[in-house]
Amino acid sequence: MSLSQEQDRTKALLELLYNVSREVATALDLRTVLQRVLYEVVQNVGGERCSIVVLDDAGKAVDATIVYGKQFHEHTTQQLRDTMERGLAGWVIRNRKAALVLDTSKDERWLMRPDDAMDRSGVKSAICVPLLARETLVGVLTLVHPAPNAFSEEQLDLMQAIADQAGIAVLNARLYTESQRQARVMTALAEGAAAMNASLRMEDVYQRILIQMMQALQVETVALGMLDGEQIVYRAAAGQSAGNILGRKIPLGQGIAGVAALEGHGVVVPDVSQDKHYGDADQFGGVEMRSVVVAPIQSQGRVIGIIEAINPIAKSFDPDALLVMTGIGGLAGTTIQNAQLFERLQAAHQRYRELFEDSIDPMLITDWDGRILEANRQATLLSGYTSETLHTLTIDQLHEVNWDRIGAQFEVLQENQTCSYESSLHREDESDTPIEVHARRVEFDENDAIQWILRDITERKELDHLREDLTAMIYHDLRSPLANIVSSLDVLFSMVPDDDKETVQTILKIAENSTDRIQRLVNSLLDVNRLESGQPVVDQKAVDPVVLIQQAVLDVEPVARGRRQTVSANLPGELPPIWVDKDMARRVLINLMENSVKFTPSGGQLEAGAVQEDHWVHIWVKDNGPGIPAAEQERIFDKFTRLRGTSKSSGLGIGLAFCRLAVLGHGGKIWVESEPGKGSAFHFTFPVATEEQITARSE
C-alpha cells in the first residue's frame, strides 16, 4: 500500500470515528445511544446483525438491544442470561479483551440462537469487543456476519476503535439515565414526605400514604396494613374494591404480604400465579390480582406494617417500583410513628385535662411567675372566686406560699422536686380556710408550668383540736385523782394487820399495777402533746440499759404469766449507760412489750434484748405472734392508729405513737420488722451517754 493510500485510509478512519463520536455524543437517552452505535457499526463495518449489552458498576447487565437488518429488537431475559454466562459476550467481559471468530461452528464460545442452526443459516463469523470508558467496563459490542471468514484483523481494530468512542457515550448515557431515575424517585419521595407529614391525624396520614402510592406507581388498588401481634390488619385501602380490603386480617408469614412483613424486605411479583407464596391470604373479594408490589413499613429498625400496590395500569411495574415503595415505606414508618405519638400525647393531654377538671381536690396551674393559668371547678368552689377572677390573680394572692419550702423563685420546683406544706387559703369572702398544699413541676398544654393541689383540711384541723382538748382533759382530770389513789393505797397498806397482810398485799398489788398503767397512759398523752409541739426532752441522765430492760421484763412478767407466755432478756454482761429520760425510756419498753403480750397467742415467747452499735445502744422487743401485714407496718406508729387492725385490738392507739415520738426526741430511730405468721420485732436506738454528760450531771 502506497503512502498516499495509507494517508487516505487513515483520513477515512478518522472521519468515520469523528462521525461515530458526533452521532453518539448528541444523545443522552441510553436507548437512543445504543441504537446509534449499532447503526454506525452495521453501516461502516458490515454484517447481518449487531448487539450491545450495557453493564452496571457491579458487572450486571442492565440494558441490551439488537439490530437485525434495519429493525431493532430486545433480548429476551433468558437469551441475555445465557449470553452473559456461556456465550462469546460473557467471555469478552470476563477477560476484558476483544475476540475475532472466523467460524462460529468451530468456536465453543459461540452460543447458537434458534435461527442459527447449521442446517438453516450455515456458518457465521463474529467480532466481539469490550466497551471501556475511563478503564471501566461499561458493556460489550457484538457484530455477526452471515458467512465465515468475513472479518479481518483490520475490521476488528475498527470495531474496537468504534467501541472506544461509544464507551464514553454509553457511560454518560447510563449515568444520565440513572441520575434521572434517581431524581424521579427522590422527587416522588420528597413529594410523598411533604404530603404525608402535612397532618398528624392517623386517618389523614393513612390516606395521604395511599395517595402517594397511587400517584407514584399508577396502580388500580393500594392498601396499608399494620402489625397487630402476630397478624396484619389492613387499616386503609383505596382504588378498586377497596372496601373489601378494609379490616381484613392475615397471619404473619402467610401470603406475599405476610412473608414480606416477616422477613422485613420488599418484593415485586410480576405474576402472582407463578409465586410460591401467593395464596388465600392475598386474595381480596372483587380484586382480580395479577401483579403486586409489597414493601414493609419500618420504624426504628423494626417492621410495623406493610404497604401494597396491586395491578399496575401499564400492565407491568416500572423498574423503580420497589425502590419507590421501599422509600414510601420508610417515610410512612416515620410519619405513622409521629402520628401515633401525637395521638398518644393528645390522649394523655385529654386524660390529664379530664383528671384535672374532675379532681375532687382544688387544682391550679401557674406559670413560673406565679400567674394562674388554669383552675378546676373545685378551685372555684373552695375559693369562692369565679374562673375569670382566678385568672387575674397570682398564687401568692390566693394563699400564703411557703417560700422556704419552694424557693424564693420556685428554685426547688425547678429541680423537679415536689413540695408539700400547710397554709391558709384566702377566700373571696375574705375568710381563711386551712389547706394542705402540694406543688410540682408539670407540662400543661405543651408549656412548662407548676401544678398546685390545695386540699381543704378544715375537718382535720377541727379533729386535731378535739383530740388535743380530749388529751388535755384526760391529763388534767385523771392525774389528780390518780395521785390520790396511789397515796391512798400506800396508807391502806400500812393499816392492814400483819395477819392479813399477804392476802391484802396481792389485791393491793393488782390495784397498784392498774394505777401504774393509767399513769403511764396519762404521761404518754402529755408527752405526745409536748413532743408534737416541738418541746425537747429535758430530764435526761445516764441510765444503765441492762437494769432498765431487766426491770421492764419484771414489770411485764405477771401479765405474760397470766397468758401462759414466757418473757426473757437477751443481754450482754454490760452495756454503756444511755442518755435518756428514764421514765420515758421505761414507758417505751413497757409499751412495746405489753403490745407483744397482747397480740401473742397463749404459750408464746417474748424477748427483750440490746447490743451496743458505735455511739448507740440498739434495743429490741421480739415475739412469735401472728406478725404485722406490710401495708400496716407503715402506719402503726401514727397517732390513734390501732395495732394490726384486728377485732381484738383495743385502746386509744396512742402507745406506739408515743414510742416513736419519744425515741425521735432522743435523736434515735425506731422501726419494725415483721412477716405475717412469723412474729414481729420492734427495734429502737438510744444514744450512749458521753463522759461530759455524765460528769456535768453528777456535778
Side-chain angles (χ1 to χ4, degrees):
M1 183 182 295
S2 67
L3 179 60
S4 177
Q5 291 175 322
E6 182 65 28
Q7 288 176 340
D8 290 342
R9 180 178 174 277
T10 301
K11 181 180 179 182
L13 179 59
L14 290 174
E15 288 179 352
L16 170 61
L17 295 178
Y18 172 75
N19 290 331
V20 171
S21 176
R22 183 182 61 186
E23 282 294 321
V24 299
T26 56
L28 283 174
D29 177 69
L30 182 59
R31 185 51 54 91
T32 302
V33 170
L34 297 182
Q35 290 178 357
R36 288 183 179 183
V37 170
L38 294 176
Y39 179 79
E40 292 294 332
V41 170
V42 173
Q43 285 292 107
N44 292 281
V45 184
E48 71 171 352
R49 71 174 183 266
C50 188
S51 67
I52 189 169
V53 178
V54 180
L55 307 177
D56 62 12
D57 292 334
K60 181 182 178 182
V62 294
D63 206 345
T65 190
I66 304 172
V67 63
Y68 209 128
K70 294 184 179 181
Q71 300 294 320
F72 292 98
H73 305 273
E74 302 293 331
H75 275 91
T76 67
T77 303
Q78 188 62 45
Q79 284 176 339
L80 188 59
R81 185 182 299 113
D82 293 342
T83 301
M84 297 296 291
E85 292 178 357
R86 301 182 285 114
L88 182 62
W91 184 91
V92 170
I93 291 171
R94 290 190 292 275
N95 292 273
R96 296 174 69 92
K97 63 181 182 180
L100 173 62
V101 179
L102 299 177
D103 187 342
T104 57
S105 67
K106 298 178 180 179
D107 197 308
E108 61 182 10
R109 298 171 299 179
W110 185 253
L111 193 65
M112 287 287 184
R113 290 168 56 95
D115 58 350
D116 284 341
M118 293 295 295
D119 59 349
R120 295 177 57 185
S121 60
V123 179
K124 302 178 185 295
S125 53
I127 296 175
C128 190
V129 296
L131 271 67
L132 295 168
R134 308 186 190 101
E135 303 299 322
T136 301
L137 185 65
V138 297
V140 62
L141 179 64
T142 305
L143 179 64
V144 181
H145 196 279
N149 303 306
F151 296 125
S152 64
E153 290 289 340
E154 184 179 348
Q155 289 169 308
L156 175 63
D157 293 340
L158 179 58
M159 276 280 288
Q160 188 62 70
I162 294 174
D164 291 342
Q165 293 294 313
I168 297 295
V170 169
L171 177 61
N172 291 338
R174 194 194 75 185
L175 294 176
Y176 176 77
T177 300
E178 290 179 357
S179 67
Q180 289 294 97
R181 172 171 163 264
Q182 291 178 359
R184 287 195 302 272
V185 173
M186 295 306 296
T187 299
L189 295 180
E191 292 175 351
M196 283 187 271
N197 289 297
S199 174
L200 286 174
R201 288 184 66 253
M202 189 60 72
E203 293 302 319
D204 289 345
V205 169
Y206 287 159
Q207 290 303 315
R208 291 175 184 274
I209 293 171
L210 297 180
I211 291 171
Q212 293 306 308
M213 290 165 58
M214 295 198 81
Q215 290 179 348
L217 300 182
Q218 295 294 300
V219 292
E220 296 176 5
T221 308
V222 290
L224 182 149
M226 299 299 295
L227 255 65
D228 185 1
E230 295 298 314
Q231 63 182 3
I232 298 170
V233 182
Y234 284 90
R235 302 292 188 188
Q240 182 182 350
S241 300
N244 296 331
I245 303 176
L246 282 175
R248 180 74 182 279
K249 301 176 181 179
I250 63 172
L252 192 63
Q254 292 190 17
I256 298 171
V259 172
L262 181 64
E263 297 180 352
H265 58 76
V267 61
V268 179
V269 182
D271 185 354
V272 295
S273 64
Q274 303 299 314
D275 190 88
K276 65 180 180 180
H277 299 302
Y278 179 70
D280 294 340
D282 295 303
Q283 297 177 16
F284 306 111
V287 181
E288 184 181 351
M289 190 176 293
R290 302 184 304 274
S291 54
V292 64
V293 181
V294 180
I297 300 174
Q298 295 189 338
S299 176
Q300 298 181 341
R302 64 183 183 91
V303 176
I304 63 172
I306 56 98
I307 49 176
E308 187 171 354
I310 304 170
N311 298 337
I313 296 172
K315 306 302 182 183
S316 63
F317 282 109
D318 185 273
D320 298 327
L322 183 57
L323 182 61
V324 172
M325 282 284 282
T326 302
I328 291 176
L331 293 173
T334 302
T335 304
I336 289 172
Q337 184 185 42
N338 291 339
Q340 289 173 338
L341 290 173
F342 178 75
E343 285 193 345
R344 287 198 289 268
L345 183 60
Q346 288 291 93
H349 276 300
Q350 183 61 30
R351 287 195 299 271
Y352 181 81
R353 278 198 164 274
E354 291 173 353
L355 291 172
F356 175 81
E357 193 61 40
D358 297 335
S359 173
I360 62 173
D361 290 319
M363 295 179 66
L364 302 156
I365 302 294
T366 71
D367 60 18
W368 289 97
D369 292 325
R371 292 188 294 267
I372 296 175
L373 305 176
E374 293 288 343
N376 68 355
R377 286 188 294 269
Q378 290 298 324
T380 61
L381 292 173
L382 181 63
S383 68
Y385 292 107
T386 64
S387 179
E388 292 75 14
T389 303
L390 285 173
H391 281 72
T392 66
L393 303 177
T394 58
I395 193 66
D396 57 339
Q397 291 177 301
L398 191 63
H399 85 286
E400 296 176 7
V401 178
N402 189 329
W403 298 108
D404 292 336
R405 298 296 302 274
I406 66 172
Q409 300 294 325
F410 306 112
E411 294 93 350
V412 176
L413 298 179
Q414 290 173 4
E415 296 172 358
N416 294 318
Q417 296 185 35
T418 299
C419 296
S420 300
Y421 56 87
E422 291 186 3
S423 182
S424 294
L425 177 71
H426 307 311
R427 293 172 50 84
E428 192 271 340
D429 61 6
E430 299 184 356
S431 64
D432 289 338
T433 298
I435 55 173
E436 186 177 77
V437 181
H438 303 277
R440 67 187 182 104
R441 185 177 188 173
V442 296
E443 182 179 323
F444 188 81
D445 286 346
E446 301 182 1
N447 294 314
D448 195 20
I450 306 173
Q451 179 193 65
W452 305 82
I453 300 176
L454 313 179
R455 186 163 296 160
D456 187 354
I457 57 174
T458 302
E459 293 185 1
R460 194 182 79 188
K461 287 293 185 180
E462 291 175 351
L463 183 59
D464 287 343
H465 289 314
L466 287 174
R467 287 171 175 169
E468 291 171 1
D469 293 343
L470 178 62
T471 302
M473 180 194 69
I474 291 173
Y475 173 70
H476 292 292
D477 291 353
L478 290 182
R479 193 166 189 179
S480 294
L482 277 173
N484 292 334
I485 292 173
V486 171
S487 58
S488 297
L489 287 173
D490 291 337
V491 173
L492 184 61
F493 184 75
S494 64
M495 294 172 61
V496 175
D498 292 340
D499 295 342
D500 299 328
K501 215 164 216 180
E502 185 175 350
T503 303
V504 175
Q505 187 176 8
T506 302
I507 298 172
L508 292 177
K509 189 64 176 177
I510 295 173
E512 185 182 356
N513 290 337
S514 298
T515 55
D516 182 60
R517 291 186 64 189
I518 296 174
Q519 281 186 313
R520 282 191 280 110
L521 174 61
V522 172
N523 290 334
S524 295
L525 285 170
L526 179 62
D527 288 336
V528 166
N529 276 345
R530 285 206 307 257
L531 294 169
E532 281 188 330
S533 65
Q535 297 182 34
V537 178
V538 293
D539 191 19
Q540 292 178 261
K541 60 184 178 181
V543 177
D544 187 342
V546 174
V547 176
L548 183 71
I549 295 171
Q550 289 174 338
Q551 186 59 53
V553 169
L554 291 175
D555 290 338
V556 176
E557 208 168 23
V559 182
R561 194 183 307 116
R563 297 174 60 89
R564 291 183 293 176
Q565 299 169 347
T566 59
V567 184
S568 60
N570 183 4
L571 298 168
E574 63 179 22
L575 288 169
I578 54 178
W579 190 249
V580 295
D581 180 316
K582 183 178 181 180
D583 179 64
M584 197 175 289
R586 171 178 171 272
R587 282 186 278 125
V588 169
L589 267 168
I590 291 178
N591 276 339
L592 294 176
M593 294 174 69
E594 286 185 342
N595 273 321
S596 291
V597 169
K598 184 188 303 183
F599 292 103
T600 301
S602 178
Q605 298 178 348
L606 282 72
E607 177 189 282
V611 66
Q612 184 180 2
E613 295 177 353
D614 296 327
H615 302 295
W616 301 89
V617 172
H618 175 186
I619 304 172
W620 65 82
V621 175
K622 298 180 181 179
D623 64 56
N624 61 349
I628 305 171
E632 295 192 14
Q633 292 179 24
E634 299 180 0
R635 66 184 189 89
I636 60 173
F637 292 108
D638 294 341
K639 192 167 57 172
F640 304 111
T641 298
R642 293 185 177 181
L643 184 63
R644 303 175 187 172
T646 65
S647 59
K648 295 181 179 180
S649 62
S650 60
L652 295 175
I654 201 71
L656 292 180
F658 159 73
C659 292
R660 179 180 65 85
L661 290 169
V663 171
L664 295 179
H666 286 85
K669 299 185 297 182
I670 186 168
W671 69 97
V672 62
E673 296 174 356
S674 183
E675 188 175 343
K678 297 185 178 181
S680 303
F682 287 86
H683 302 262
F684 60 96
T685 59
F686 280 139
V688 172
T690 64
E691 291 295 335
E692 292 81 3
Q693 290 173 332
I694 296 173
T695 302
R697 186 71 178 184
S698 58
E699 290 176 354

